Amino acid sequence: MSPDLPPVVPSVTAELVGALPPRLRKRLDAGVTKLVARPAVRDGDTVRIAVDDDTDLVLHAPGGAVTRADAIRCGCLLAPDCLHRAAAASAAPVADEAPAGDPEKPETPDEPETAPAAEAGDDAANAGRRAAARAVSDAAAAVLEAGTDGAGAVLQAELLHAAHTARLAGLPRLSAAAVAVVTGVRAARSGDPGYRLTDLAGALAGVLGVAHRLPHATGPELTDLRGTARQPYRPDGSLRLYGLFSEPVLTATGYAGAVTWTADAEGRLYTVSDVAPGGPARATGAADRAVRIGDTSLTHRELSRAGLAVSGATVSPTGRLGAGAGVRAVRASGVAWRAEPLDRLWAEPAAEQVSRALNGGRDLLFLEVTPVGAVRETAGDCLLADCDGLSVLLTTAHDDPSLPCRENLRLLAAAGRGRLRIVARLVPGPFPRALLLAAEHPADPDARVDLGLDRLQHADLPGGVVAPPDRALPAGDEAPLHLLRRRVHQAVSGGRRVLAFAGDRPGDGARLRRAGLATAGDLLDDLHAAAADRSRDAFGRLLPADTDRFGRSWLAAAVYTDAVERALCADAWGATATGAGGARPPATPIH
């Protein structure tokens, strides 16, 4: 996936790949690799790629995204049904089929929510939804069957086509879930540093789970599974907001920018965002651009420490502030974290905050910790901190070297200061872990540091501080759930054949059962059986694998693993997880 290319809506990619003759489909992945190596030149809404000395490929993206197949033009002799056009669409980030502008929501937030194609009682609409769900399920199962190593541009296009069909059938949630899988697969295949195997596993479980439940759902469950194409904004009158912190946004889909978090006097959180196609440079530069609300000249970096008075406010259900024509905003004074009204955010016990996050609430944690020292892990250094007697691992929110996250974390570990207030994002797991987003300044508790945007210096540390030595992780008993989780993740990366060839390690199922995880042992056995199940015809030739059975077995294992991990996470924090289980895509910043 190339962030230099403008985003392309799923229907365009599906159309261009579908038009290729079989001989060119076989060469599509190689064509994508070759194309992304060529430089792209942007001129306004047009991106031009020199395929060779005599041939140019041009993408027109009015409004920031390619929304029509004829907006991708090639000068080669095989055009329009050429490999280059399909390769460009397959290499580009996936755009939302809603109006271009913001990557998640349209620029006109005060528009009413898009209505579904037909009411739930319409038999024809129900049949259409079932067919769309089946198509998405089949296409997603084929991606799982192949794994990221084998899910090339053709399989991706088939899933994008199914996503477009689901959108037309009035199933925007299923459509978005399918697009998320394609985005994750492309990130994996391109070596994107932001790719996470756990994220893609969650996306696959999400799309397969929704597709599985949709045909049988009714009433409120059907409404929830159907989703909404646009997030409605509601009027919220006048707001007095206090800046909390800003964080960079850098996604695998080729979008970047900044989000600033604010709170009102009652502790309700609101966000202001500036996210658009781009890379790390845009993520850092967005912090110094003016926020897009009213006539205020405040930048995101300034708003994170100041305040905002808003009249005629519109707010999404997730707390995102709208920027409609009737919204007015002016700068107001801010307060320190230890002053009211922000102080109350840190008064809630950590266990209660984690319980809310695990049960569908916001995933931000407002913690007061004592840094203990650096801990070295395979993925890099972490900060071990004490939170009222609970050992918590704090890790970086972004690994991109152009962002200061990792170096800031190392300096905080060396600061040696006592109690420190932080803002972090929960990472579910059997050990208390969170992504570090912002912290009080090591030398000044009235100041704060946005750890993804501000860069600490050694001079900022209290004098005479010596970094403590690396420490080992606290020892503790852990249920062997990783035996099942590992196979779930292996299937995502290597496909069904990896599990079929690997077989079950001797004793894995028995070990799970001895640990009281009998269901996990049964699911592991069934997953391996489904992977190895290949029938032969009368001549002894292998028949096509049953992707549906393997997909169901994998989904059952993924849902179970997610539910147990949530329970283990709640236990680790002393919290409760009372919400419905089931694999869900990981939480992401609101923007």
Side-chain angles (χ1 to χ4, degrees), residues 194-210:
Y195 167 71
R196 296 291 182 272
L197 177 58
T198 53
D199 292 357
L200 180 54
L204 268 167
V207 70
L208 288 172
V210 172

Side-chain angles (χ1 to χ4, degrees), residues 244-247 259-263 267-271 318 337 345-346 348-358 360-367 397 422-428 433-438 573 587-590:
L244 271 170
F245 73 100
S246 290
E247 63 172 320
V259 173
T260 299
W261 292 78
T262 66
R268 292 182 299 236
L269 300 185
Y270 298 82
T271 60
T318 57
W337 281 358
L345 294 171
W346 280 265
E348 185 180 17
E352 295 181 11
Q353 298 185 50
V354 171
S355 294
R356 181 186 59 248
L358 292 175
R362 66 171 188 254
D363 59 355
L364 289 186
L365 303 179
F366 298 89
L367 308 176
I422 64 169
V423 182
R425 179 168 285 113
L426 177 67
V427 177
R433 181 185 292 264
L435 303 178
L436 190 57
L437 303 174
W573 288 87
T588 55
I590 298 171

Side-chain angles (χ1 to χ4, degrees), residues 38-176:
R38 306 292 296 174
V41 179
R42 185 182 293 270
D43 181 13
D45 291 336
T46 300
V47 175
R48 187 179 302 273
I49 302 172
V51 176
D52 54 41
D53 293 341
D54 302 316
T55 306
D56 281 351
L57 180 71
V58 180
L59 295 87
H60 297 280
V66 176
T67 59
R68 296 170 55 91
D70 59 10
I72 303 179
R73 301 174 184 172
C74 183
C76 76
L77 295 177
L78 295 179
D81 296 334
C82 66
L83 185 69
H84 304 128
R85 297 175 72 218
S90 300
V94 183
D96 187 358
E97 298 207 61
D102 185 291
E104 288 194 343
K105 306 292 179 286
E107 291 268 348
T108 52
D110 296 321
E111 292 181 10
E113 170 188 333
T114 299
E119 294 299 321
D122 188 322
D123 291 339
N126 285 332
R129 280 195 286 268
R130 285 194 296 270
R134 180 75 260 177
V136 170
S137 180
D138 289 345
V143 169
L144 178 63
E145 163 84 9
T148 57
D149 295 340
V154 173
L155 285 180
Q156 295 169 29
E158 290 173 356
L159 184 51
L160 289 177
H161 176 71
H164 179 63
T165 301
R167 190 179 189 90
L168 295 179
L171 301 173
R173 178 178 172 183
L174 184 62
S175 175

Side-chain angles (χ1 to χ4, degrees), residues 337-339 342-351 353 364-372 383-392 394 417-424 434 436 438-440 445 573:
W337 281 358
R338 293 183 179 270
L342 298 185
D343 181 68
R344 68 181 60 192
L345 294 171
W346 280 265
E348 185 180 17
Q353 298 185 50
L364 289 186
L365 303 179
F366 298 89
L367 308 176
E368 191 158 346
V369 303
T370 301
V372 175
L383 172 60
L384 182 64
D386 175 83
C387 180
D388 294 328
L390 185 68
S391 294
V392 179
L394 301 173
R417 184 187 154 182
R419 302 286 284 178
L420 189 73
R421 285 191 170 181
I422 64 169
V423 182
L436 190 57
E440 290 178 329
W573 288 87

Side-chain angles (χ1 to χ4, degrees), residues 265-287:
E266 283 72 44
R268 292 182 299 236
L269 300 185
Y270 298 82
T271 60
V272 182
S273 67
D274 181 354
V275 181
R282 194 184 192 285
T284 54

